[in-house]
Amino acid sequence: MRASAVDAGADAGRDALTMRGAAALAYAEAALDALEGTLAGAPDWRPGRALRAEVACCRERLGELTEAWGSKLVVAIVGPSGAGKSTLLNALAGRELSPTGRTRPTTREVVVYAAAEADAAGLVAQCGAERVRVATDGRAAALEYLILVDTPDTNTLPENQALLRCALERADLLLAVLPAHNPRMHDNITFLRPYVQQLPADAVVPVLNMVDRVPEAELANSVAPDARRAVAQEWGLDGARVYLVAARAVAPGGEPYPADERPLHGVNEFAALRDFVFAALNRAEQVVDRRLARVERLLDLLHEHGRATLAARRQALAAAAERLRDLGQQGEDLLAEAAAVRQPGGVDVHAALYGLLAGRWWGPVGWLVAAWALVLRVAAFLGRPSRWFRPAEPSPGATEGPAATWAPALEGLYARGWPPVADLLVRGGFDPTVRQADAWGQWVRERARVEVERWSEALTAHLDALAQRLSAWPLQVVLNAPSLGLIGWIAYDVLARFWQGRYLPADYFRHAGIAVLLTWALSFLVFQVIVAVALRAPLRRGVVPALAGPAPAALGPLEDQLQALAALEQTTGEAG
């Protein structure tokens, strides 16, 4: 019963670790997707191409981590020739696994210490079976969740360094071995720097080996502090513990000390290092935690580079955005000025309004409104010969409004103001093609088209509303009543006298007709005065303010790309 409970608890623990890992990987993929999508929004920003390549590389590394998620931790022992890496591995394993000696380089292959051959399958597949030697110890309880790897030197033959790079690609934790007689070996520090940067800070463990060959006072006052400063300055490991180890003193099967190389003191933190490796690291949760930390470190590096890339160009991009805003505001001012000068009116507007009125009016005045609408339409057509063979084009007077004069003025504004903006954009990382007129010409034409549509929609809406008001039934009754009343009275008078046998002379009908025509014309004239007044003030007050609403593309060209860069800065900043 108790064993079953323990097994169930272990299974639940493994399930919880698996879910943690799956959630972290999903979050990382989502973060990469978001960053890639943001960068895609600024295709003309050249640094974004490099960042997109880094996103692809990070995605590839994430895939490798996903494949290796269920494998054991890889603890790699790295360092320069003669630092005692193989001796340290033998000391940790308690047996002679890796050859030691004075011949350099001593280690010419990757030596893996694992509980079973299968634990090293990933390294063997990546580095090649002929370059990897696996030493197994099925009884080693300390290797339940990790494997130890001895690597070639960092400062020897190029083929060995290539093999070392291959092994480091799989490493979850580095035991960076530094020789006590020269802890600041420049080529070793330089070679390891990119690999150290890719790992979380606590995944790099500096080990100062052969400390027993340095006088104790010199070790405490000079060598150890120098090693701590080196890893802090070169690798960014501020405050990291540097283990002071004499691996040869505890390694089995080593050569005996010559008389002139006997230990100078007993300082040796090997036991603490061994406990850290085999007690602190050899746990199931450490496998997940270390892998999660590597995922987070990959994302942090990507975001750090994004922030650094933006920071180097922030000033130029901010200045470019400010100049673009100024150009956009000047364009708005030009539109407002053009709208104030170019009032709605002309034959086209009258023809459009009377066309709407013709369908709403009735009676004698309605007949004249329909006839007048036809006359105005013919006059508008004849007044613009350029449209005779292009009848589908909209009427400039009726639809373009202020945009007819605003678009050329806007083109001139950008032709003068674009060069300094383009220089700032190029300094901010944009492709030099933004200097060409095509960078803003298309936007100006599109903006003019949008303004024409806005003007046309505003004018059409207000003409329709005005036609609705001018077709109100009280006004139609008032203006049609004189003509209809006079016609009705004449008809009544003629019929009444006819039944009385009193026949009216021809002059009566002639004068009656003249009176009806005059009344009819006077009613229509009064209506035209009302229309003229309505077009002069109310329509102007209705259409022009409608153009003062929110205008699209306030920043002008490249607005979306600058906004994408602002989103990128926010994303990388929040991630940091």
Side-chain angles (χ1 to χ4, degrees), residues 394-409:
S395 168
T399 59
E400 290 184 3
T405 58
W406 172 74

Side-chain angles (χ1 to χ4, degrees), residues 88-180:
L88 179 60
L89 174 63
N90 294 339
L92 288 170
R95 54 187 284 199
E96 187 173 3
L97 299 174
S98 190
T100 61
R102 298 181 181 272
T103 304
R104 300 290 178 250
T106 304
T107 304
R108 300 172 183 267
E109 60 187 354
V110 173
V111 180
V112 180
Y113 178 47
E117 288 272 354
D119 296 340
L123 272 171
V124 171
Q126 183 160 339
C127 301
E130 71 283 358
R131 304 299 303 275
V132 178
R133 180 165 60 87
V134 182
T136 61
D137 185 355
R139 296 172 300 172
L143 299 178
E144 186 177 0
Y145 297 105
L146 59 84
I147 62 175
L148 291 176
V149 180
D150 184 18
T151 62
D153 302 330
T154 60
N155 58 343
T156 55
L157 302 177
E159 57 269 25
N160 286 348
Q161 289 191 346
L163 180 60
L164 171 59
R165 290 188 180 93
C166 180
L168 290 178
E169 291 293 329
R170 305 283 298 191
D172 297 298
L173 187 137
L174 299 182
L175 297 183
V177 183
L178 308 170

Side-chain angles (χ1 to χ4, degrees), residues 420-462:
V421 174
D423 289 341
L424 288 170
L425 288 172
V426 172
R427 283 170 49 195
F430 277 83
D431 195 279
T433 55
V434 298
R435 290 193 171 98
Q436 301 174 4
D438 290 343
W440 56 266
Q442 180 63 33
W443 174 81
V444 169
R445 290 187 291 272
E446 177 64 18
R447 181 68 192 281
R449 183 191 64 78
V450 171
E451 290 303 329
V452 167
E453 291 181 355
R454 292 177 66 207
W455 174 266
S456 178
E457 292 173 0
L459 182 62
T460 301
H462 284 83

Side-chain angles (χ1 to χ4, degrees), residues 20-30 62-63 65-66 69 291-292 295:
R20 275 185 58 203
L25 290 173
Y27 170 80
E29 286 286 355
L62 196 62
L65 284 174
T66 302
W69 199 259
R291 297 274 163 75
L292 291 182
V295 171

Side-chain angles (χ1 to χ4, degrees), residues 475-486:
L475 182 61
Q476 295 199 47
V477 170
V478 169
L479 293 183
N480 279 309
S483 301
L484 292 176
L486 184 57

